[in-house]
Amino acid sequence: MKFNWYKYAAPQPFFHLTGKCIPWLLWLAALLFVVGFYIGFVLAPTDFQQGDAYRIIYLHVPAAWMSMLIYLVMAAWAGLGWAFNTRLSSMMATALAPTGAMFTFLALCTGALWGKPTWGAWWVWDARLTSELILLFLYIGFMALQAAIDEPRRADKAAAVLALVGVINIPVIYFSVQWWNTLHQGASISMTSAPSMVFIMLLGMLIMTLAFWSYAIAAAFIRVRCVILEREKNSEWVKEVKREYIRSKA
Amino acid sequence: MSSWLEMGGYGFYVWGSLVVVVACLLIEVIGLRMRFKSLVGK
């Protein structure tokens, strides 16, 4: 049997598919979050240098990874929408931006809560922190630019240019701890060498990362459904979806 | 139990991080569901 993936490039089938996936993704995110919390906050041993303050790693590192990953995915969708004029690609980019901005905010916020007890300061103008702050501004700029232009297709194109230019900031964030002499510690996990941390710590962090992944996909799906409803409001199938919803609630 | 909650004197920072993360995730998802319901119910 041949599965036709291209079918889901159109808003209508994608709207219905995502509606079925969202509850599963949210429950999976909640389950993984509880397991990750139990491993990270209960089972994992105390760090010999940082004490229990290091446990913020189970929230901070996955949030920081998500902030960078979501930006790359958002820029890829925006670029696809710009190059091939595919409506759904641009809608996905629009849907990902606020969730990416939220994870960037969380990375900065949990980083500050880690920085105070370990460095003695909430914030320093370190290369890693500054480049992560620039990422937050890029997300805000992307959303502001889209909101500033009334015609959605023109807004998508303008925002896509900004998103693609901003991709240059991602390797800067990732390699900042190597390129500059920073106060921020080096990478927690390297792609080229074996992990230096204890297995249980690594496991907790990876499970929490999967929880954030699952959550981010669910949030993006809910938001893209809202964007579809707004942009396709005059189409017959959206009117039928609304009628069906009202009937189900009556 | 109480020593676990104290987190070796770092309780404010560790639990503060958890509260901020959980609050942000919940606020976003609840807000999104409300937005969806208001759009589909129009």
Side-chain angles (χ1 to χ4, degrees), chain A residues 78 81-82 85 90-91 93-94 141-163 231:
Chain A
W82 186 31
N85 223 11
S90 303
M91 290 180 194
T94 306
F142 181 88
M143 291 185 284
L145 192 54
Q146 275 206 324
I149 301 170
D150 287 333
E151 211 273 297
R153 304 310 296 272
R154 275 185 56 229
D156 289 341
K157 284 176 186 167
V161 176
L162 176 66
R231 292 196 185 183

Side-chain angles (χ1 to χ4, degrees), chain A residues 90-106:
Chain A
S90 303
M91 290 180 194
M92 276 304 293
T94 306
L96 281 164
T99 303
M102 189 200 65
F103 276 112
T104 312
F105 169 77
L106 286 178

Side-chain angles (χ1 to χ4, degrees), chain A residues 16-94:
Chain A
H16 294 297
L17 175 74
T18 49
K20 288 177 189 145
C21 298
I22 289 163
W24 293 97
L25 286 164
L26 285 176
W27 280 113
L28 181 66
L31 179 72
L32 288 169
F33 192 91
V34 170
V35 174
F37 168 80
Y38 184 70
I39 293 174
F41 285 66
V42 180
L43 289 185
T46 304
D47 185 74
F48 82 102
Q49 269 184 325
Q50 298 186 25
D52 283 310
Y54 99 94
R55 291 186 199 278
I56 297 172
I57 196 175
Y58 299 105
L59 301 164
H60 173 72
V61 174
W65 283 346
M66 289 308 297
S67 70
M68 291 187 280
L69 179 71
I70 291 175
Y71 192 88
L72 289 177
V73 177
M74 181 192 84
W77 281 123
L80 273 175
W82 186 31
F84 299 109
N85 223 11
T86 44
R87 281 176 301 162
L88 192 59
S89 309
S90 303
M91 290 180 194
M92 276 304 293
T94 306

Side-chain angles (χ1 to χ4, degrees), chain A residues 184-221:
Chain A
H184 193 284
Q185 65 196 62
S188 302
I189 296 174
S190 164
M191 282 187 275
T192 52
S193 59
S196 56
M197 64 171 68
V198 180
F199 175 74
I200 192 87
M201 291 180 177
L202 183 66
L203 183 70
M205 214 163 72
L206 293 179
I207 288 175
M208 205 56 111
T209 305
L210 288 176
F212 282 7
W213 266 52
S214 194
Y215 170 86
I217 297 169
F221 279 178

